[in-house]
Amino acid sequence: MTPYASSDPVAALPGAERGAPSRVARALGGGNVADRVYGLVLLGAGLVLPVLFAFIIARVGAAAWLAVRSFGPGFVTATAWDPVAGRFGALPFIFGTVVSSLLALAVAFPLALGLSIFLTELAPRWLAVPVAFATDLLAAIPSVVYGLWGIFVLVPWLRTHVEQPIADRFGDAIPLLAGPAYGVSIFAAGVILAIMIIPFISAVSREVLAAVPRTQREAALALGATRWETTWKSVLPFALPGIFGAAILGLGRALGETMAVTMVIGNRPEVPSSIFHPGYTLASVLANEFAEASGDLYLASLMAVGFILLGVTIVVNALARLLVWYVARRGRAA
Amino acid sequence: MRTDAYRAVRRRVVSATMLTLTGVAAVLTVVPLLLILWHLLRMGIGALDLAFFTHLPAPPGEVGGGVANGIVGSAIIVAVAALIGLPIAIAAGLFLAERDGSRLATAVRFIADVMNGIPSIVVGIFVWAWLVVAMKHFSALAGGVALAIMLLPMVARTTEEMVRLVPRELGEGGFALGLTRWRTTLGIVLPAARSGILTGVLVALARIAGETAPLLFTTLGNNFWQLRLDRPTAALPLQIFQYAISPYEDWHRQAWAGALLLIALVLAVSIAAKFLIRSPFRER
């Protein structure tokens, strides 16, 4: 409900039927001119968002049309990205984006969930507040700073201490983990994305967990459950759809992340045979090649890449928001 | 034989173990933050001299280069974004709070949430296709518009949340005194939500100040002083990016220093936001 009365004070007065304001005027906020203008201004501002949204989709789509016409649906499955020869295919980027994001989610989800449970269920206040603050700070660090740290600190460390040892031990048996470990790789991108999306998933999960009614916990504890059993069996199942929503939101964030990924992924427009080899993502190819794209087909192909990225993130985010909203409704109804 | 006592002990051990693991997860999450801050300080503080703040970029190898034009340029672009985006965003937030319950408000709210997830680089290429092509120039204005597009859904939603926290009685008091709707909202409800809205605005501004991707093909960057709104302008995140991917040691040091500067800004705003949220209606 609105915090202020939704009934029109003017129309509520006796004798208001004669000379009563029209329904449109009332809908816009009142019987007097100032209120109507105010209502109109607010409506206009509110409408800016959907209009802008539609405009973005239309504009990027229109700019991509040339590539769609030239390559058709084969654009998403073609692997060649050859500006000189005029052959463009988006598969390497789709592969890189999907694999690095899924890798990030696989690493980030358990950690974020553990962190959320720690903060909402377990930590005493003197510990929870600084840790929560630290998490929020992680979420606020600009992407380019993550990328900088990634290039000079994370990637060399990963190469010597994680990628090369794993490649040496398992590379022959599992081609996906084969070396040589370049350092800049899909794996590195996945790791840095994980670090970036943990605070995001955790923030939403904390809200979801906090919204679980206390009666759930108290009932389990009253029946003699340990604290872990309470969380695992009584609280989590209640919050699970919302937590999945948080995870998908994190996935959406990882899919669109540009700067940090560009700086650590190696930027090679091929589908790599191992996660320890360089790759490319939809966002990275835009960042790297857009400013120098010459020729209409090159530009249109890049726009098509952008359009794919736009579509994917819209779908993923819409799904996630619906999930979170659904859990919020269930929580309120309970 | 699994006696009851055995099972009771086992359950407690499992509980303690799992809860310890969540603590480990918390530590693993905080460690990268500490590492990043430590590296930023160690690598960046050496390059933070007066020249860094007051000089223009120098060619690699030359001493005394700085990011002065980037700092000023970023300030200009963020100011443009704020001027364009904040009024619309706050009005949209008020719209969402007032019309809560109508189908239009629900749809707009959903679209705002989805827009919050649009990658910043896509916003960049959209503004390129729209403004840069039309103006035939890269410009600070285009960069400001791109950042404003990112600002809009963020600030609209936080404004809405803050306005909805204001108790009904306050607005009803206004009506009881005979005030019209717009006077009530602008004169009573909005000031009551002021600190919360300001916090949301500050946090959003700090976020867009650090964005690089939307500026890549809208503002483009500049190595010299350039204060016109319709020409390419320098920006701090862009310079950090260029320096970071360059092969020059000297530029790398400046990249670290620039990143340290950005982080200091973000930290300052985060702390200010925590202290500002003194709205009397909000639970601590």
Side-chain angles (χ1 to χ4, degrees):
Chain A
M1 270 314 273
T2 57
Y4 22 85
S6 52
S7 57
D8 185 351
V10 173
L13 293 171
E17 299 83 6
R18 250 179 321 123
S22 68
R23 272 182 59 195
V24 173
R26 270 212 301 276
L28 279 179
N32 67 75
V33 178
D35 270 347
R36 264 182 277 165
V37 168
Y38 171 75
L40 211 58
V41 167
L42 250 53
L43 181 67
L47 285 179
V48 166
L49 279 162
V51 164
L52 189 60
F53 184 62
F55 188 29
I56 292 177
I57 297 177
R59 200 70 183 78
V60 176
W65 183 241
L66 179 61
V68 174
R69 221 179 44 201
S70 310
F71 300 111
F75 186 71
V76 261
T77 51
T79 55
W81 184 262
D82 190 350
V84 176
R87 281 168 40 230
F88 299 101
L91 192 62
F93 317 122
I94 298 177
F95 182 85
T97 305
V98 168
V99 171
S100 63
S101 301
L102 286 179
L103 184 60
L105 191 60
V107 171
F109 184 62
L111 285 177
L113 191 57
L115 176 66
S116 314
I117 294 176
F118 178 76
L119 283 174
T120 53
E121 307 280 324
L122 184 60
R125 211 179 139 77
W126 59 267
L127 192 55
V129 169
V131 172
F133 181 66
T135 313
D136 291 338
L137 208 56
L138 261 179
I141 295 180
S143 180
V144 70
V145 173
Y146 272 114
L148 180 67
W149 181 75
I151 297 184
F152 294 120
V153 178
L154 185 68
V155 161
W157 186 85
L158 278 180
R159 183 177 56 219
T160 2
H161 293 97
V162 177
E163 294 184 19
Q164 198 57 55
I166 296 184
D168 288 337
R169 189 148 338 145
F170 300 108
D172 294 319
I174 311 175
L176 206 60
L177 298 176
Y182 285 76
V184 284
S185 58
I186 297 217
F187 179 71
V191 169
I192 209 158
L193 279 176
I195 299 177
M196 293 175 79
I197 67 176
I198 285 179
F200 199 57
I201 301 179
S202 155
V204 181
S205 298
R206 257 152 57 203
E207 277 181 34
V208 171
L209 282 173
V212 172
R214 292 186 55 163
T215 46
Q216 290 282 111
R217 293 188 186 86
E218 290 169 358
L221 288 171
L223 287 170
T226 61
R227 287 180 75 172
W228 172 252
E229 284 166 352
T230 311
T231 309
W232 186 248
K233 298 202 171 122
S234 184
V235 174
L236 267 185
F238 202 93
L240 217 50
I243 294 186
F244 276 137
I248 301 179
L249 269 176
L251 180 67
R253 175 91 201 267
L255 288 171
E257 190 44 65
T258 313
M259 302 315 298
V261 172
T262 308
M263 290 156 99
V264 303
I265 200 169
N267 303 330
R268 199 172 73 180
E270 286 168 22
V271 177
S273 50
S274 151
I275 60 173
F276 296 144
H277 289 175
Y280 225 158
T281 64
L282 294 166
S284 301
V285 66
L286 286 175
N288 280 324
E289 304 194 6
F290 197 83
E292 289 142 14
S294 56
D296 290 333
L297 192 58
Y298 196 178
L299 202 58
S301 301
L302 283 171
M303 280 293 189
V305 166
F307 192 71
I308 295 175
L309 184 58
L310 181 63
V312 166
T313 48
I314 287 180
V315 166
V316 168
N317 271 290
L319 222 74
R321 292 288 173 186
L322 283 173
L323 258 176
V324 175
W325 174 76
Y326 167 72
V327 162
R329 250 180 35 150
R330 256 179 67 204
R332 271 205 289 274
Chain B
M1 263 286 266
R2 298 279 176 91
T3 64
D4 280 341
Y6 168 82
R7 292 223 307 271
V9 168
R10 199 182 100 122
R11 281 169 55 208
R12 288 216 188 89
V13 166
V14 165
S15 179
T17 315
M18 296 308 285
L19 292 176
T20 312
L21 280 181
T22 64
V24 168
V27 168
L28 280 177
T29 309
V30 175
V31 159
L33 173 70
L34 298 174
L35 280 177
I36 293 177
L37 288 177
W38 187 69
H39 278 112
L40 276 174
L41 275 171
R42 209 186 76 174
M43 316 280 273
I45 209 132
L48 271 187
D49 49 18
L50 191 62
F52 183 74
F53 287 98
T54 52
H55 287 188
L56 289 176
E62 252 185 54
V63 188
V67 293
N69 58 345
I71 298 174
V72 171
S74 274
I76 294 179
I77 297 173
V78 170
V80 168
L83 269 167
I84 298 178
L86 284 183
I88 303 179
I90 295 181
L94 281 176
F95 167 78
L96 286 174
E98 277 200 24
R99 297 304 184 84
D100 183 24
S102 78
R103 295 226 308 258
L104 182 61
T106 314
V108 170
R109 187 176 301 127
F110 185 71
I111 288 181
D113 282 338
V114 172
M115 276 184 78
N116 265 326
I118 294 184
S120 53
I121 191 133
V122 173
V123 173
I125 65 174
F126 161 70
V127 174
W128 180 89
W130 175 30
L131 281 182
V132 176
V133 169
M135 289 170 57
K136 300 210 191 312
H137 282 290
F138 295 96
S139 60
L141 183 63
V145 168
L147 292 184
I149 294 179
M150 297 193 62
L151 200 56
L152 259 177
M154 259 194 270
V155 173
R157 288 291 275 127
T158 58
T159 304
E160 180 204 351
E161 300 284 326
M162 291 301 143
V163 168
R164 284 168 77 175
L165 281 176
V166 176
R168 305 178 53 154
E169 291 78 27
L170 231 63
E172 289 171 358
F175 284 122
L177 290 171
L179 293 175
T180 52
R181 164 161 286 137
W182 71 274
R183 273 196 207 277
T184 313
T185 311
L186 293 183
I188 297 183
V189 178
L190 202 54
R194 184 179 43 203
S195 61
I197 296 179
L198 194 59
T199 307
V201 165
L202 276 179
V203 168
L205 286 179
R207 243 204 79 180
I208 63 167
E211 285 286 341
T212 318
L215 300 179
L216 280 173
F217 341 108
T218 48
T219 309
L220 195 68
N222 200 313
N223 281 327
F224 305 101
W225 284 113
Q226 201 297 105
L227 299 176
R228 282 179 65 166
L229 280 183
D230 59 346
R231 289 291 186 273
T233 311
L236 187 56
L238 283 178
Q239 283 172 324
I240 298 176
F241 178 55
Q242 282 158 12
Y243 285 176
I245 59 175
S246 75
Y248 309 116
E249 198 54 52
D250 186 48
W251 278 10
H252 293 170
R253 269 182 39 247
Q254 293 196 29
W256 283 107
L260 184 60
L261 191 59
L262 257 186
I263 280 273
L265 175 77
V266 165
L267 194 63
V269 169
S270 296
I271 297 181
K274 295 278 176 200
F275 279 114
L276 249 177
I277 194 124
R278 280 191 196 295
S279 171
F281 312 116
R282 192 165 156 110
E283 293 177 48
R284 283 309 197 105

